Every structure is written in C-alpha cells, then in structure tokens.
Amino acid sequence: MKYHIIINSVKTVDALKDAWTKEDYIFLLEKFGIEDSSESSTSELLELLFMAISDFEPEEAAAIILDYKLADQLNENQIEQISHEMLLDKISEEYADITLHHQLFNINQLLHKAYNGTFPNAKATVVEFEITPNKDITKEVVLKAFDKTLANNNVIKRLFSNHLAGQEAFDEAESIVWDLTSIGENSYTLTTSEYWMSRDEFKDAEFDSTVVEFEDEED
C-alpha cells in the first residue's frame, strides 16, 4: 500500500513521560528501606527515591530496580550481570534481547539521574507525524514507511533490510517501536530508542512510501 507521510517533529529525550507511576516509587522506596511514603506527592517521592538509592552501591541499586521491573523475564544471574554492565555500556541499546530495551531504558535513566551521571545517558527519539490513508497503521507499517526517509546508515535499514522490503516477517518491529499512539485524525506519535532512529537520520519531512506486506508461503 502507498502512504503519504508528513514528519512534523523529531525530538530527542532522555526520559519518557509516565515511565514510572506513583505506585512504582512507593514500592521502590520500600525496597530501598523507606516506608510510609504514600502521603507524599509524586515529585516528593522521586526526590526521596533518589536520596534512598544514593545510599546503595550503584550495582546493588540497579539489581533492585531490575528485579522489580524484569524479574519475570530475567533470572538472578542475568540481573546481576546486567547490573554491572549498566555502569559501562548503554545496556538499553546493546542487550541482545531487544524486547527488553524499553524497560532497560527507563531503568537506566532513573539510575543515571539518581547517581548524577554514573550510569551512561541513553536517549530516546519521539516522532510526531501524519500518515494517509490512516488505514491498517501498525508499528511494522510505520517502520516500513519511514524506510523511505531514513539515512542509508540507519541501524534498522542495515539489520532488517529484507524485513523492510517485505521479504521476511518483521516481528522485531514490535520491540523496535516502543510506543505508537494516535493523537489525531491522521496523526501519530512514535517512540523508540535513539539507537534505532535518531533525529539526524531523517532526510525528508514529507514523502510518499510504498509498504510491502510479508506474505508467508504455506507449505
């Protein structure tokens, strides 16, 4: 299908709105030894959490938060390993399982701010765009449409060229795009890692793109 796309804005951010809830902060504060904090405002809870976290070694704090958010996906050894690797590398970009990148980004950025830069500073990209016709819009469709405007050295284009061309199933699109939200009649906001898509990689603000669906051949 052929789509017409208008890129209205591409922003680089170091934190995602609503990544953490008040309930998250209260639970984590208990994990870090502070109870009876439920009467505090969300901003006060975050300040308390930063102070509580700073009393722990960075690796220990990382392990506590990783366990809270990803205990269902990671075992104890993996959590311990990641808690150390986070101090050296942008784990939300480099971890092999890309389905965890979104949560790892949120965890990393919380720790980055709590420790004033001890953890590497990862970035996310937020794209506001219009697409017509507004039909069958999925994360996969948007990535295939954006292929027309992204620079040739873009990581998605280099790693998933066959997928973008409709020659292979593109299940990875669900993890590459962290969020795709409709904000108007034909308007959407896409959120992803700067690793996958950076502001500098967008060549055209308005373009046409033909999206080819992958058709699985039955045996």
Side-chain angles (χ1 to χ4, degrees), residues 180-192:
L180 180 65
T181 301
S182 174
I183 57 173
E185 185 176 351
N186 298 307
S187 301
Y188 289 83
T189 297
L190 176 149
T191 305
T192 185

Side-chain angles (χ1 to χ4, degrees), residues 63-74:
I64 290 171
I65 301 175
L66 285 164
D67 181 70
Y68 169 58
K69 295 296 285 186
L70 296 173
D72 291 341
Q73 289 102 327
L74 298 170

